[in-house]
Amino acid sequence: MPQDTLAGAGESSLGFVVPQRARFDEPLTLKSGAQLPSFDLVYETYGTLNAARSNAVLVCHALSGSHHVAGRYEDDPRNVGWWDNLVGPGKPLDTERFFVVGVNNLGGCYGSTGPLSVNPHTGKRYGADFPLVTVEDWVAAQARLADQLGIDTWAAVLGGSLGGMQALQWSLQYPERIRHALVIASAPKLSAQNIAFNEVARQAILSDPDFHAGHYAERGVVPVRGLRLARMIGHITYLSDDQMAEKFGRQLRHGEHRFNYDVEFEVESYLRYQGDKFAGFFDANTYLMMTKALDYFDPAYAYDGNLAAALARAKAKFLVASFSTDWRFSPARSREIVFALLHNRRSVAYAEIDCDAGHDSFLLDDAHYHAVMRAYLENIET
Amino acid sequence: MPQDTLAGAGESSLGFVVPQRARFDEPLTLKSGAQLPSFDLVYETYGTLNAARSNAVLVCHALSGSHHVAGRYEDDPRNVGWWDNLVGPGKPLDTERFFVVGVNNLGGCYGSTGPLSVNPHTGKRYGADFPLVTVEDWVAAQARLADQLGIDTWAAVLGGSLGGMQALQWSLQYPERIRHALVIASAPKLSAQNIAFNEVARQAILSDPDFHAGHYAERGVVPVRGLRLARMIGHITYLSDDQMAEKFGRQLRHGEHRFNYDVEFEVESYLRYQGDKFAGFFDANTYLMMTKALDYFDPAYAYDGNLAAALARAKAKFLVASFSTDWRFSPARSREIVFALLHNRRSVAYAEIDCDAGHDSFLLDDAHYHAVMRAYLENIET
């Protein structure tokens, strides 16, 4: 779920965009019981809110994404939004019809209040003292932003992976404030294997000697080794086995075995590059928190594991989409959501898309996938 | 492939066994071109070599295994061999019929010459200076042991995972010296995804500040963090998704979310325990080398990727076995070996066993699996 997967092209039909900042001075009580006295959310908008305020769409980001969903920045024109292929004039999520909002989640590291922010109580950065936030907390904070923007009801909330969990959660937490939920490459909860991968990534960060119990920023260091390993592990799960085989195979960097631990196979080079790049900009405490938000998400938990019972309160219409080669959140996981919605006689469209790119397929402009998205979004009344 | 998976039972029908040591003073030139002036191999034997010397069977170990295949030690009776459920009197590999040999591979850390040994040229431990060894080198060293034991031809060579690669390699490197090869839960080469997992494990060790470029032993430290992470990553790939779900699910340790980074889900506890235990006894340089031996193994490499051409020189009869839920080396990988052997009109039996335990199934005493092994081994003439 790299926000930079598609960056670098330097082209966007949306043109230049400008991030904005919203301030919330009312305290927010989190699911953990901790309270944030105040917080900021950084966000971007594309298109125009209509007079009826009925065409607003919220795009939720996944693990390493941000509010920068589409367009590019005047002072950094190569930084194109992470879902720019989907969002823009004439694109599947058409900014000539919709008013699209992207927001950096609470606890993020792209400008919204998070571990890198200064704790007003201590005058120091929060670091590890920033409370753990959950999908429910993100949705609550996003609702505050909707209030401030004068959006009573979203025409749609959408996202891929962890972003899809937020779209699903919106339908449960504010059933009257969302007309359509688009849940892409997602799951109703993590499996033990999903949690296991998150746990190894966390242990890589927590055991890095530069982590300093989460207060590395005060010491002017970054747990680079841990972040790098966490990202490498993540990348294996974002790609499919087939795609890795096709992209790298057993291709040797130097055409021969070198019998040392330098890069030999191309796939090693790819992983090291992705790991190094990520460790250069992402915050370790945010990463830890995001993985916990994933682990905790489980709307059926309060219903003895009965997902159908948990989804009974949803009123939105749904598009659920999955990708054939996604082994992180396989199609079977999406079907669980579909069946639970059907059990409640909810309106749900389901697309299982043949795409060899694994979990990261949701970020690509696969023709079938985008046709499904376009058809669904075009039929949403504004 | 934990050698200690089945340990702790403290029971073995084989009784007490005693490791032995063989010394080889003839230099061994490795595939890398490096030369070992001399080396030791530690091994165990079970059963009796018959007068015709025709009943010898070699058991090859996988990543973290050892020569201690079966039986237990008088001074450490809880330390039962890693394949004790398969090897013993009346067991599928029946020590009343066969003379079974287990050997710790060159470069290992259980007594054979490896990174922890003293380099005769410097008087210091080899550490990172121990040359990388390959599957071919292990087989060459095992052939020296066979010579010393007076075994001209193995009735069978068998192993699971990396051990299966050695059995396959025996059939190619010494086609006249092996009558049967049993290749279990193995593959003719690693996929890009397999290499990727190995690479993350290696990077965890290499980037541990206590690794000291592989010369940690001289400094009296161990790269515990890296070894621990490497083992945690490995364990995810040894188990199936289904088995993890069944074994741990989303079971909470304390019955509630704690909103911190201590163990919350049972699967986290399992991984931390496995990682800690492994880091307490395994050598990091050996681990690195074993993963490279896996990465390099590719008999078809010299035949432009044509596995059938590569296997044409094999003369042994084969049993190939795979497990339905093994996603590390899936049944499809075993079938590649079967098809390449059939192309050469070799005698090959193939069993695809329904077992929910993933890659580690080969270590278990699944009834169907052991029946297949027993039937095949009983039909080997001695």
Side-chain angles (χ1 to χ4, degrees), chain A residues 132 190 199 202-203 207 225 228 250 252 259-261 264 268 272 292 295-296, chain B residues 132 190 199 202-203 207 225 228 250 259 261 264 268 272 292 295-296 301:
Chain A
L132 287 197
L190 295 203
E199 170 65 3
R202 280 192 294 268
Q203 289 297 317
S207 70
R225 297 179 205 88
R228 180 172 176 269
R250 295 177 49 90
L252 291 166
F259 299 100
N260 63 37
Y261 300 116
E264 290 209 287
E268 297 172 327
R272 291 189 198 185
K292 282 304 252 190
D295 288 4
Y296 286 151
Chain B
L132 287 198
L190 295 203
E199 170 65 2
R202 280 193 293 269
Q203 289 298 316
S207 69
R225 297 178 205 87
R228 182 173 175 267
R250 295 177 49 87
F259 299 100
Y261 300 117
E264 290 208 288
E268 298 172 326
R272 292 189 197 182
K292 283 303 253 189
D295 288 4
Y296 285 152
Y301 185 66

mmCIF file of all heavy atoms in Angstrom, chain A residues 132 190 199 202-203 207 225 228 250 252 259-261 264 268 272 292 295-296, chain B residues 132 190 199 202-203 207 225 228 250 259 261 264 268 272 292 295-296 301:
data_model
loop_
_atom_site.group_PDB
_atom_site.id
_atom_site.type_symbol
_atom_site.label_atom_id
_atom_site.label_comp_id
_atom_site.label_asym_id
_atom_site.label_seq_id
_atom_site.Cartn_x
_atom_site.Cartn_y
_atom_site.Cartn_z
ATOM 1 N N LEU A 132 -2.884 4.622 21.202
ATOM 2 C CA LEU A 132 -3.236 3.777 20.058
ATOM 3 C C LEU A 132 -4.613 4.176 19.548
ATOM 4 O O LEU A 132 -5.553 4.306 20.329
ATOM 5 C CB LEU A 132 -3.263 2.302 20.460
ATOM 6 C CG LEU A 132 -1.930 1.608 20.711
ATOM 7 C CD1 LEU A 132 -2.113 0.088 20.672
ATOM 8 C CD2 LEU A 132 -0.889 2.008 19.690
ATOM 9 N N LEU A 190 -8.507 -9.456 10.524
ATOM 10 C CA LEU A 190 -7.266 -10.137 10.134
ATOM 11 C C LEU A 190 -7.308 -11.601 10.564
ATOM 12 O O LEU A 190 -7.874 -11.938 11.598
ATOM 13 C CB LEU A 190 -6.048 -9.478 10.784
ATOM 14 C CG LEU A 190 -5.703 -8.041 10.402
ATOM 15 C CD1 LEU A 190 -4.230 -7.785 10.689
ATOM 16 C CD2 LEU A 190 -6.001 -7.724 8.958
ATOM 17 N N GLU A 199 3.039 -8.768 13.479
ATOM 18 C CA GLU A 199 3.813 -8.913 14.708
ATOM 19 C C GLU A 199 5.321 -8.949 14.409
ATOM 20 O O GLU A 199 6.117 -8.341 15.130
ATOM 21 C CB GLU A 199 3.374 -10.176 15.458
ATOM 22 C CG GLU A 199 4.249 -10.575 16.632
ATOM 23 C CD GLU A 199 4.267 -9.588 17.788
ATOM 24 O OE1 GLU A 199 3.548 -8.574 17.732
ATOM 25 O OE2 GLU A 199 5.018 -9.829 18.747
ATOM 26 N N ARG A 202 6.363 -5.480 13.704
ATOM 27 C CA ARG A 202 6.453 -4.710 14.955
ATOM 28 C C ARG A 202 7.702 -5.074 15.742
ATOM 29 O O ARG A 202 8.406 -4.201 16.256
ATOM 30 C CB ARG A 202 5.216 -4.959 15.829
ATOM 31 C CG ARG A 202 4.002 -4.168 15.430
ATOM 32 C CD ARG A 202 2.919 -4.240 16.517
ATOM 33 N NE ARG A 202 2.371 -5.566 16.679
ATOM 34 C CZ ARG A 202 1.291 -6.018 16.038
ATOM 35 N NH1 ARG A 202 0.645 -5.245 15.186
ATOM 36 N NH2 ARG A 202 0.855 -7.244 16.254
ATOM 37 N N GLN A 203 7.974 -6.372 15.837
ATOM 38 C CA GLN A 203 9.153 -6.788 16.595
ATOM 39 C C GLN A 203 10.432 -6.250 15.961
ATOM 40 O O GLN A 203 11.395 -5.941 16.666
ATOM 41 C CB GLN A 203 9.202 -8.311 16.712
ATOM 42 C CG GLN A 203 8.132 -8.871 17.653
ATOM 43 C CD GLN A 203 8.309 -8.383 19.080
ATOM 44 O OE1 GLN A 203 9.425 -8.348 19.601
ATOM 45 N NE2 GLN A 203 7.231 -7.965 19.702
ATOM 46 N N SER A 207 12.522 -3.960 18.510
ATOM 47 C CA SER A 207 13.817 -4.473 18.960
ATOM 48 C C SER A 207 14.998 -3.717 18.345
ATOM 49 O O SER A 207 16.147 -4.045 18.636
ATOM 50 C CB SER A 207 13.925 -5.980 18.662
ATOM 51 O OG SER A 207 14.024 -6.217 17.272
ATOM 52 N N ARG A 225 16.660 0.503 10.814
ATOM 53 C CA ARG A 225 16.771 -0.936 10.531
ATOM 54 C C ARG A 225 15.415 -1.622 10.675
ATOM 55 O O ARG A 225 15.018 -2.431 9.848
ATOM 56 C CB ARG A 225 17.715 -1.608 11.521
ATOM 57 C CG ARG A 225 19.136 -1.134 11.487
ATOM 58 C CD ARG A 225 19.915 -1.907 12.567
ATOM 59 N NE ARG A 225 21.070 -1.167 13.011
ATOM 60 C CZ ARG A 225 21.084 -0.283 13.989
ATOM 61 N NH1 ARG A 225 19.958 -0.008 14.652
ATOM 62 N NH2 ARG A 225 22.190 0.338 14.324
ATOM 63 N N ARG A 228 12.893 -0.609 7.976
ATOM 64 C CA ARG A 228 13.296 -1.197 6.701
ATOM 65 C C ARG A 228 12.850 -2.660 6.627
ATOM 66 O O ARG A 228 12.257 -3.107 5.633
ATOM 67 C CB ARG A 228 14.820 -1.085 6.644
ATOM 68 C CG ARG A 228 15.493 -1.611 5.453
ATOM 69 C CD ARG A 228 16.972 -1.201 5.540
ATOM 70 N NE ARG A 228 17.719 -1.749 4.448
ATOM 71 C CZ ARG A 228 18.341 -2.929 4.474
ATOM 72 N NH1 ARG A 228 18.299 -3.671 5.567
ATOM 73 N NH2 ARG A 228 18.997 -3.356 3.413
ATOM 74 N N ARG A 250 14.207 -15.706 -10.954
ATOM 75 C CA ARG A 250 15.459 -15.962 -10.247
ATOM 76 C C ARG A 250 16.582 -15.180 -10.925
ATOM 77 O O ARG A 250 17.749 -15.574 -10.884
ATOM 78 C CB ARG A 250 15.765 -17.462 -10.234
ATOM 79 C CG ARG A 250 14.747 -18.275 -9.440
ATOM 80 C CD ARG A 250 15.052 -19.758 -9.509
ATOM 81 N NE ARG A 250 16.435 -20.045 -9.207
ATOM 82 C CZ ARG A 250 16.920 -20.295 -7.984
ATOM 83 N NH1 ARG A 250 16.108 -20.305 -6.960
ATOM 84 N NH2 ARG A 250 18.189 -20.555 -7.823
ATOM 85 N N LEU A 252 19.504 -13.019 -11.841
ATOM 86 C CA LEU A 252 20.689 -12.641 -11.072
ATOM 87 C C LEU A 252 21.149 -11.240 -11.465
ATOM 88 O O LEU A 252 21.152 -10.884 -12.637
ATOM 89 C CB LEU A 252 21.828 -13.628 -11.316
ATOM 90 C CG LEU A 252 21.631 -15.025 -10.742
ATOM 91 C CD1 LEU A 252 22.631 -15.994 -11.331
ATOM 92 C CD2 LEU A 252 21.753 -14.987 -9.221
ATOM 93 N N PHE A 259 28.530 -15.800 -4.113
ATOM 94 C CA PHE A 259 28.886 -16.441 -2.835
ATOM 95 C C PHE A 259 29.218 -15.432 -1.742
ATOM 96 O O PHE A 259 30.198 -15.543 -1.031
ATOM 97 C CB PHE A 259 30.034 -17.444 -3.034
ATOM 98 C CG PHE A 259 29.659 -18.558 -3.975
ATOM 99 C CD1 PHE A 259 30.064 -18.543 -5.305
ATOM 100 C CD2 PHE A 259 28.844 -19.594 -3.532
ATOM 101 C CE1 PHE A 259 29.675 -19.552 -6.177
ATOM 102 C CE2 PHE A 259 28.449 -20.607 -4.397
ATOM 103 C CZ PHE A 259 28.866 -20.590 -5.721
ATOM 104 N N ASN A 260 28.389 -14.405 -1.673
ATOM 105 C CA ASN A 260 28.447 -13.496 -0.530
ATOM 106 C C ASN A 260 27.038 -12.961 -0.256
ATOM 107 O O ASN A 260 26.080 -13.412 -0.881
ATOM 108 C CB ASN A 260 29.466 -12.367 -0.762
ATOM 109 C CG ASN A 260 29.085 -11.486 -1.942
ATOM 110 O OD1 ASN A 260 27.906 -11.208 -2.180
ATOM 111 N ND2 ASN A 260 30.079 -11.057 -2.701
ATOM 112 N N TYR A 261 26.920 -11.996 0.657
ATOM 113 C CA TYR A 261 25.595 -11.542 1.063
ATOM 114 C C TYR A 261 25.201 -10.207 0.435
ATOM 115 O O TYR A 261 24.265 -9.557 0.886
ATOM 116 C CB TYR A 261 25.483 -11.510 2.593
ATOM 117 C CG TYR A 261 25.696 -12.877 3.202
ATOM 118 C CD1 TYR A 261 26.770 -13.126 4.047
ATOM 119 C CD2 TYR A 261 24.832 -13.925 2.887
ATOM 120 C CE1 TYR A 261 26.973 -14.399 4.574
ATOM 121 C CE2 TYR A 261 25.033 -15.191 3.407
ATOM 122 C CZ TYR A 261 26.102 -15.421 4.247
ATOM 123 O OH TYR A 261 26.292 -16.676 4.759
ATOM 124 N N GLU A 264 22.210 -10.429 -4.923
ATOM 125 C CA GLU A 264 22.487 -11.369 -6.013
ATOM 126 C C GLU A 264 21.272 -11.496 -6.921
ATOM 127 O O GLU A 264 21.371 -11.394 -8.129
ATOM 128 C CB GLU A 264 22.834 -12.739 -5.444
ATOM 129 C CG GLU A 264 24.177 -12.735 -4.769
ATOM 130 C CD GLU A 264 24.822 -14.089 -4.849
ATOM 131 O OE1 GLU A 264 24.359 -14.997 -4.128
ATOM 132 O OE2 GLU A 264 25.789 -14.238 -5.611
ATOM 133 N N GLU A 268 15.988 -9.342 -4.362
ATOM 134 C CA GLU A 268 16.652 -8.799 -3.169
ATOM 135 C C GLU A 268 16.862 -7.300 -3.319
ATOM 136 O O GLU A 268 16.664 -6.517 -2.391
ATOM 137 C CB GLU A 268 18.002 -9.489 -2.960
ATOM 138 C CG GLU A 268 17.887 -10.983 -2.696
ATOM 139 C CD GLU A 268 19.246 -11.682 -2.681
ATOM 140 O OE1 GLU A 268 20.161 -11.257 -3.430
ATOM 141 O OE2 GLU A 268 19.385 -12.662 -1.945
ATOM 142 N N ARG A 272 15.295 -4.414 -0.871
ATOM 143 C CA ARG A 272 16.171 -3.487 -0.135
ATOM 144 C C ARG A 272 15.847 -2.043 -0.507
ATOM 145 O O ARG A 272 15.820 -1.163 0.348
ATOM 146 C CB ARG A 272 17.636 -3.792 -0.442
ATOM 147 C CG ARG A 272 18.093 -5.121 0.138
ATOM 148 C CD ARG A 272 19.599 -5.284 0.015
ATOM 149 N NE ARG A 272 19.979 -6.679 0.158
ATOM 150 C CZ ARG A 272 21.229 -7.112 0.184
ATOM 151 N NH1 ARG A 272 22.238 -6.263 0.062
ATOM 152 N NH2 ARG A 272 21.506 -8.394 0.316
ATOM 153 N N LYS A 292 -1.516 -2.186 14.586
ATOM 154 C CA LYS A 292 -2.430 -2.557 15.667
ATOM 155 C C LYS A 292 -3.871 -2.250 15.289
ATOM 156 O O LYS A 292 -4.789 -3.007 15.629
ATOM 157 C CB LYS A 292 -2.070 -1.799 16.957
ATOM 158 C CG LYS A 292 -0.880 -2.362 17.686
ATOM 159 C CD LYS A 292 -1.048 -3.831 18.027
ATOM 160 C CE LYS A 292 -1.282 -4.072 19.499
ATOM 161 N NZ LYS A 292 -1.203 -5.526 19.817
ATOM 162 N N ASP A 295 -4.928 -5.134 13.320
ATOM 163 C CA ASP A 295 -5.138 -6.328 14.160
ATOM 164 C C ASP A 295 -6.464 -6.249 14.924
ATOM 165 O O ASP A 295 -7.163 -7.250 15.072
ATOM 166 C CB ASP A 295 -4.011 -6.466 15.204
ATOM 167 C CG ASP A 295 -2.681 -6.893 14.595
ATOM 168 O OD1 ASP A 295 -2.598 -7.017 13.357
ATOM 169 O OD2 ASP A 295 -1.721 -7.084 15.369
ATOM 170 N N TYR A 296 -6.768 -5.061 15.456
ATOM 171 C CA TYR A 296 -7.948 -4.912 16.310
ATOM 172 C C TYR A 296 -9.255 -4.926 15.531
ATOM 173 O O TYR A 296 -10.301 -5.272 16.079
ATOM 174 C CB TYR A 296 -7.871 -3.586 17.090
ATOM 175 C CG TYR A 296 -6.885 -3.568 18.234
ATOM 176 C CD1 TYR A 296 -6.274 -2.381 18.632
ATOM 177 C CD2 TYR A 296 -6.585 -4.728 18.945
ATOM 178 C CE1 TYR A 296 -5.383 -2.346 19.688
ATOM 179 C CE2 TYR A 296 -5.686 -4.701 20.004
ATOM 180 C CZ TYR A 296 -5.094 -3.503 20.380
ATOM 181 O OH TYR A 296 -4.224 -3.462 21.432
ATOM 182 N N LEU B 132 30.923 -19.967 1.905
ATOM 183 C CA LEU B 132 29.547 -20.405 1.658
ATOM 184 C C LEU B 132 29.565 -21.815 1.074
ATOM 185 O O LEU B 132 30.307 -22.092 0.138
ATOM 186 C CB LEU B 132 28.849 -19.466 0.670
ATOM 187 C CG LEU B 132 28.443 -18.082 1.165
ATOM 188 C CD1 LEU B 132 27.404 -17.459 0.234
ATOM 189 C CD2 LEU B 132 27.877 -18.136 2.569
ATOM 190 N N LEU B 190 14.124 -22.475 -5.540
ATOM 191 C CA LEU B 190 13.270 -21.514 -4.838
ATOM 192 C C LEU B 190 12.603 -20.579 -5.837
ATOM 193 O O LEU B 190 13.185 -20.222 -6.864
ATOM 194 C CB LEU B 190 14.084 -20.677 -3.849
ATOM 195 C CG LEU B 190 14.730 -21.367 -2.651
ATOM 196 C CD1 LEU B 190 14.971 -20.349 -1.531
ATOM 197 C CD2 LEU B 190 13.908 -22.514 -2.116
ATOM 198 N N GLU B 199 15.702 -13.457 2.121
ATOM 199 C CA GLU B 199 16.438 -12.199 2.122
ATOM 200 C C GLU B 199 16.058 -11.322 3.324
ATOM 201 O O GLU B 199 16.923 -10.711 3.946
ATOM 202 C CB GLU B 199 16.184 -11.448 0.802
ATOM 203 C CG GLU B 199 16.695 -10.027 0.751
ATOM 204 C CD GLU B 199 18.208 -9.898 0.825
ATOM 205 O OE1 GLU B 199 18.921 -10.914 0.880
ATOM 206 O OE2 GLU B 199 18.680 -8.737 0.841
ATOM 207 N N ARG B 202 17.773 -12.758 6.252
ATOM 208 C CA ARG B 202 19.208 -12.412 6.231
ATOM 209 C C ARG B 202 19.428 -10.964 6.635
ATOM 210 O O ARG B 202 20.338 -10.654 7.416
ATOM 211 C CB ARG B 202 19.792 -12.640 4.830
ATOM 212 C CG ARG B 202 20.134 -14.065 4.518
ATOM 213 C CD ARG B 202 20.993 -14.173 3.260
ATOM 214 N NE ARG B 202 20.280 -13.795 2.061
ATOM 215 C CZ ARG B 202 19.592 -14.639 1.283
ATOM 216 N NH1 ARG B 202 19.531 -15.914 1.594
ATOM 217 N NH2 ARG B 202 18.974 -14.228 0.199
ATOM 218 N N GLN B 203 18.599 -10.071 6.100
ATOM 219 C CA GLN B 203 18.779 -8.655 6.427
ATOM 220 C C GLN B 203 18.555 -8.401 7.918
ATOM 221 O O GLN B 203 19.187 -7.529 8.502
ATOM 222 C CB GLN B 203 17.833 -7.785 5.581
ATOM 223 C CG GLN B 203 18.240 -7.716 4.108
ATOM 224 C CD GLN B 203 19.608 -7.079 3.920
ATOM 225 O OE1 GLN B 203 19.922 -6.065 4.530
ATOM 226 N NE2 GLN B 203 20.445 -7.692 3.099
ATOM 227 N N SER B 207 21.773 -6.765 9.641
ATOM 228 C CA SER B 207 21.641 -5.389 10.133
ATOM 229 C C SER B 207 21.595 -5.308 11.656
ATOM 230 O O SER B 207 21.485 -4.223 12.220
ATOM 231 C CB SER B 207 20.403 -4.720 9.518
ATOM 232 O OG SER B 207 19.217 -5.297 10.016
ATOM 233 N N ARG B 225 18.733 -10.407 18.237
ATOM 234 C CA ARG B 225 17.547 -9.767 17.643
ATOM 235 C C ARG B 225 17.305 -10.266 16.225
ATOM 236 O O ARG B 225 16.194 -10.581 15.829
ATOM 237 C CB ARG B 225 17.720 -8.253 17.568
ATOM 238 C CG ARG B 225 17.865 -7.547 18.885
ATOM 239 C CD ARG B 225 18.083 -6.064 18.599
ATOM 240 N NE ARG B 225 18.786 -5.397 19.667
ATOM 241 C CZ ARG B 225 20.105 -5.321 19.784
ATOM 242 N NH1 ARG B 225 20.900 -5.877 18.883
ATOM 243 N NH2 ARG B 225 20.643 -4.693 20.791
ATOM 244 N N ARG B 228 16.258 -13.931 16.027
ATOM 245 C CA ARG B 228 14.889 -14.052 16.528
ATOM 246 C C ARG B 228 13.883 -13.667 15.436
ATOM 247 O O ARG B 228 12.916 -14.386 15.172
ATOM 248 C CB ARG B 228 14.792 -13.111 17.728
ATOM 249 C CG ARG B 228 13.508 -13.081 18.440
ATOM 250 C CD ARG B 228 13.697 -12.218 19.700
ATOM 251 N NE ARG B 228 12.450 -12.048 20.396
ATOM 252 C CZ ARG B 228 11.628 -11.027 20.202
ATOM 253 N NH1 ARG B 228 11.943 -10.086 19.340
ATOM 254 N NH2 ARG B 228 10.499 -10.941 20.872
ATOM 255 N N ARG B 250 -7.918 -15.749 16.480
ATOM 256 C CA ARG B 250 -7.679 -14.389 16.968
ATOM 257 C C ARG B 250 -7.746 -14.401 18.494
ATOM 258 O O ARG B 250 -8.074 -13.414 19.143
ATOM 259 C CB ARG B 250 -8.706 -13.424 16.378
ATOM 260 C CG ARG B 250 -8.605 -13.254 14.861
ATOM 261 C CD ARG B 250 -9.697 -12.351 14.320
ATOM 262 N NE ARG B 250 -9.816 -11.116 15.040
ATOM 263 C CZ ARG B 250 -9.122 -10.003 14.778
ATOM 264 N NH1 ARG B 250 -8.259 -9.991 13.794
ATOM 265 N NH2 ARG B 250 -9.302 -8.922 15.496
ATOM 266 N N PHE B 259 -4.269 -2.346 24.161
ATOM 267 C CA PHE B 259 -3.799 -1.094 23.569
ATOM 268 C C PHE B 259 -2.341 -0.781 23.910
ATOM 269 O O PHE B 259 -1.975 0.332 24.249
ATOM 270 C CB PHE B 259 -4.732 0.071 23.940
ATOM 271 C CG PHE B 259 -6.136 -0.141 23.443
ATOM 272 C CD1 PHE B 259 -7.138 -0.607 24.288
ATOM 273 C CD2 PHE B 259 -6.444 0.071 22.107
ATOM 274 C CE1 PHE B 259 -8.424 -0.841 23.816
ATOM 275 C CE2 PHE B 259 -7.737 -0.157 21.620
ATOM 276 C CZ PHE B 259 -8.721 -0.616 22.478
ATOM 277 N N TYR B 261 1.948 -2.752 23.130
ATOM 278 C CA TYR B 261 2.661 -3.657 22.233
ATOM 279 C C TYR B 261 3.138 -4.942 22.911
ATOM 280 O O TYR B 261 3.978 -5.650 22.402
ATOM 281 C CB TYR B 261 3.813 -2.921 21.539
ATOM 282 C CG TYR B 261 3.313 -1.756 20.712
ATOM 283 C CD1 TYR B 261 3.667 -0.454 21.008
ATOM 284 C CD2 TYR B 261 2.443 -1.980 19.645
ATOM 285 C CE1 TYR B 261 3.178 0.605 20.258
ATOM 286 C CE2 TYR B 261 1.949 -0.934 18.890
ATOM 287 C CZ TYR B 261 2.315 0.362 19.202
ATOM 288 O OH TYR B 261 1.824 1.397 18.464
ATOM 289 N N GLU B 264 -0.680 -9.743 22.778
ATOM 290 C CA GLU B 264 -2.137 -9.687 22.911
ATOM 291 C C GLU B 264 -2.783 -10.930 22.318
ATOM 292 O O GLU B 264 -3.596 -11.586 22.940
ATOM 293 C CB GLU B 264 -2.688 -8.452 22.203
ATOM 294 C CG GLU B 264 -2.319 -7.182 22.915
ATOM 295 C CD GLU B 264 -3.341 -6.107 22.677
ATOM 296 O OE1 GLU B 264 -3.384 -5.578 21.553
ATOM 297 O OE2 GLU B 264 -4.090 -5.800 23.624
ATOM 298 N N GLU B 268 1.043 -14.160 18.553
ATOM 299 C CA GLU B 268 2.220 -13.343 18.854
ATOM 300 C C GLU B 268 3.095 -14.035 19.891
ATOM 301 O O GLU B 268 4.323 -14.059 19.787
ATOM 302 C CB GLU B 268 1.788 -11.969 19.381
ATOM 303 C CG GLU B 268 0.975 -11.159 18.384
ATOM 304 C CD GLU B 268 0.393 -9.891 18.991
ATOM 305 O OE1 GLU B 268 0.040 -9.886 20.191
ATOM 306 O OE2 GLU B 268 0.277 -8.902 18.262
ATOM 307 N N ARG B 272 6.998 -15.198 19.303
ATOM 308 C CA ARG B 272 8.065 -14.683 20.172
ATOM 309 C C ARG B 272 8.782 -15.828 20.869
ATOM 310 O O ARG B 272 10.006 -15.841 20.980
ATOM 311 C CB ARG B 272 7.490 -13.702 21.200
ATOM 312 C CG ARG B 272 6.992 -12.419 20.573
ATOM 313 C CD ARG B 272 6.641 -11.392 21.645
ATOM 314 N NE ARG B 272 5.799 -10.341 21.093
ATOM 315 C CZ ARG B 272 5.369 -9.288 21.776
ATOM 316 N NH1 ARG B 272 5.699 -9.144 23.057
ATOM 317 N NH2 ARG B 272 4.618 -8.373 21.214
ATOM 318 N N LYS B 292 21.357 -19.240 1.907
ATOM 319 C CA LYS B 292 21.988 -19.078 0.589
ATOM 320 C C LYS B 292 22.038 -20.419 -0.154
ATOM 321 O O LYS B 292 21.857 -20.467 -1.373
ATOM 322 C CB LYS B 292 23.408 -18.509 0.737
ATOM 323 C CG LYS B 292 23.447 -17.027 1.024
ATOM 324 C CD LYS B 292 22.724 -16.209 -0.025
ATOM 325 C CE LYS B 292 23.672 -15.439 -0.916
ATOM 326 N NZ LYS B 292 22.926 -14.474 -1.788
ATOM 327 N N ASP B 295 18.766 -20.737 -1.692
ATOM 328 C CA ASP B 295 18.600 -19.817 -2.834
ATOM 329 C C ASP B 295 19.329 -20.336 -4.076
ATOM 330 O O ASP B 295 18.833 -20.218 -5.192
ATOM 331 C CB ASP B 295 19.167 -18.433 -2.510
ATOM 332 C CG ASP B 295 18.318 -17.640 -1.520
ATOM 333 O OD1 ASP B 295 17.321 -18.179 -1.025
ATOM 334 O OD2 ASP B 295 18.677 -16.479 -1.251
ATOM 335 N N TYR B 296 20.531 -20.856 -3.860
ATOM 336 C CA TYR B 296 21.374 -21.248 -4.990
ATOM 337 C C TYR B 296 20.912 -22.545 -5.650
ATOM 338 O O TYR B 296 21.188 -22.772 -6.832
ATOM 339 C CB TYR B 296 22.824 -21.445 -4.541
ATOM 340 C CG TYR B 296 23.595 -20.173 -4.268
ATOM 341 C CD1 TYR B 296 24.638 -20.157 -3.342
ATOM 342 C CD2 TYR B 296 23.311 -18.994 -4.945
ATOM 343 C CE1 TYR B 296 25.368 -19.002 -3.096
ATOM 344 C CE2 TYR B 296 24.036 -17.834 -4.698
ATOM 345 C CZ TYR B 296 25.066 -17.846 -3.771
ATOM 346 O OH TYR B 296 25.791 -16.715 -3.530
ATOM 347 N N TYR B 301 19.711 -24.941 -13.691
ATOM 348 C CA TYR B 301 20.395 -23.689 -14.060
ATOM 349 C C TYR B 301 21.402 -23.903 -15.192
ATOM 350 O O TYR B 301 21.475 -23.124 -16.133
ATOM 351 C CB TYR B 301 21.081 -23.116 -12.821
ATOM 352 C CG TYR B 301 21.739 -21.765 -13.022
ATOM 353 C CD1 TYR B 301 20.975 -20.636 -13.287
ATOM 354 C CD2 TYR B 301 23.124 -21.625 -12.917
ATOM 355 C CE1 TYR B 301 21.573 -19.392 -13.454
ATOM 356 C CE2 TYR B 301 23.729 -20.388 -13.084
ATOM 357 C CZ TYR B 301 22.949 -19.279 -13.352
ATOM 358 O OH TYR B 301 23.545 -18.052 -13.515
#
